[in-house]
Amino acid sequence: MNDMRRTTLKIILQITCQLLWLAGLVVGLSGVYLLLNCRQSNLFFSHTYIVLPAVLALTSAAFLLVSGGLGCWVSTRKSVCLQGLFVYLLVVVICLESTASALAYFHSGKLDSEMAPFRGVFQRYTGSSQDPDSTAVDATQEELQCCGIRNYTDWLETPWFNHTGGLGVPHSCCNSTFRSCNGTLDQPWQLYPQGCQVKLEEALLFVLSLIIWSSLPVMLVEVFAFVTVAQLMTDQPLLEYHILDRH
């Protein structure tokens, strides 16, 4: 009966470890996506602290993958040391996930203040490919399919617009479906209707929310794995004593 119970616990642990791998992939992808967004749009942020949830998410993802592999190994061994190491890694991951979720929640409520330099970058736009501000603005508008800060009318208040004679907006504002678009204001329907700050905030909020809400099921899986290993560690001395008593 004890052997059957241990076999069941090992099977449960293996399934739980596969869930840890899956959770590690989800958390890791969300961290990579947030890190890439922050790296490509770093000129639009007041501080670089917003990358901390991404770094912690990537770190916890790495620990989740390692924990999943170690847990599968633990299920085939009777090593108390390996079981203890597995529990230790689970505790580390819980700490990392809790910290990443807290930071993600903190930054999700401060995106407006974090993106305060947004207007300043657009005001410094020159249209030159050698200018980092101009390159960042054009790349953001093309990638996010947006125009201006809130909409295309924000370009009317920029020095670049007045310098060019007020004929149009940058070509990066043109909707790719209209091949004849040249950025002129007499055909505004050919421009991207939504502003870049709005779209960037939406993308960041989605990833930050994913980090926040994914932490709960990940922690539940970790607690389940912890309980399973704890039961294996409790049963192991009893099994060894039973074998010695037979001899």
Side-chain angles (χ1 to χ4, degrees), residues 56 60 91-104 215 219:
L56 289 173
S60 61
V91 173
V92 171
V93 173
I94 289 176
C95 294
L96 289 172
E97 279 288 312
S98 301
T99 307
S101 299
L103 287 174
S215 62
M219 289 182 185

Side-chain angles (χ1 to χ4, degrees), residues 124-147:
R124 294 191 298 270
Y125 183 85
T126 62
S128 173
S129 59
Q130 305 299 321
D131 179 25
D133 290 338
S134 301
T135 304
V137 169
D138 286 330
T140 301
Q141 290 191 146
E142 290 175 356
E143 183 179 348
L144 296 180
Q145 297 183 347
C146 55
C147 183

Side-chain angles (χ1 to χ4, degrees), residues 38 62 67 87 92 120 128 144 175 217:
C38 295
S67 301
V87 171
V92 171
S128 173
L144 296 180
N175 193 320

Side-chain angles (χ1 to χ4, degrees), residues 7 26 28 37 50 74 79 86 88 94 97 159 163 166 211 223 225 243:
T7 302
V26 173
N37 269 285
I50 196 171
V74 165
S79 174
F86 179 65
Y88 174 76
I94 289 176
E97 279 288 312
H163 181 71
I211 294 176
V223 170
I243 294 174

Side-chain angles (χ1 to χ4, degrees), residues 150-190:
R150 298 294 176 182
N151 53 56
Y152 77 93
T153 59
D154 293 315
W155 282 108
L156 307 182
E157 304 173 359
T158 61
W160 174 85
F161 181 80
N162 296 326
H163 181 71
T164 57
L167 298 177
V169 297
H171 286 183
S172 56
C173 278
C174 289
N175 193 320
S176 57
T177 57
F178 299 100
R179 300 188 180 277
S180 61
C181 177
N182 56 8
T184 56
L185 296 177
D186 58 344
Q187 295 177 322
W189 61 86
Q190 293 186 353

Side-chain angles (χ1 to χ4, degrees), residues 64-117:
L64 280 169
L65 295 175
V66 173
S67 301
L70 182 61
C72 289
W73 194 21
V74 165
S75 65
T76 61
R77 298 289 188 274
K78 295 181 180 180
S79 174
V80 178
C81 293
L82 289 178
Q83 293 170 348
L85 178 61
F86 179 65
V87 171
Y88 174 76
L89 288 178
L90 290 178
V91 173
V92 171
V93 173
I94 289 176
C95 294
L96 289 172
E97 279 288 312
S98 301
T99 307
S101 299
L103 287 174
Y105 179 79
F106 173 77
H107 285 292
S108 63
K110 294 186 63 179
L111 279 181
D112 284 336
S113 59
E114 288 285 350
M115 301 176 72

Side-chain angles (χ1 to χ4, degrees), residues 182-236:
N182 56 8
T184 56
L185 296 177
D186 58 344
Q187 295 177 322
W189 61 86
Q190 293 186 353
L191 307 176
Y192 291 121
Q194 202 168 11
C196 293
Q197 183 170 348
V198 177
K199 298 205 74 171
L200 187 56
E201 283 182 358
E202 288 176 353
L204 292 176
L205 278 175
F206 172 76
V207 183
L208 291 173
S209 299
L210 184 61
I211 294 176
I212 294 170
W213 291 108
S214 64
S215 62
L216 181 59
V218 169
M219 289 182 185
L220 289 176
V221 173
E222 291 171 354
V223 170
F224 193 69
F226 177 81
V227 172
T228 305
V229 174
Q231 290 181 351
L232 283 172
M233 295 175 69
T234 303
D235 288 352
Q236 187 167 319

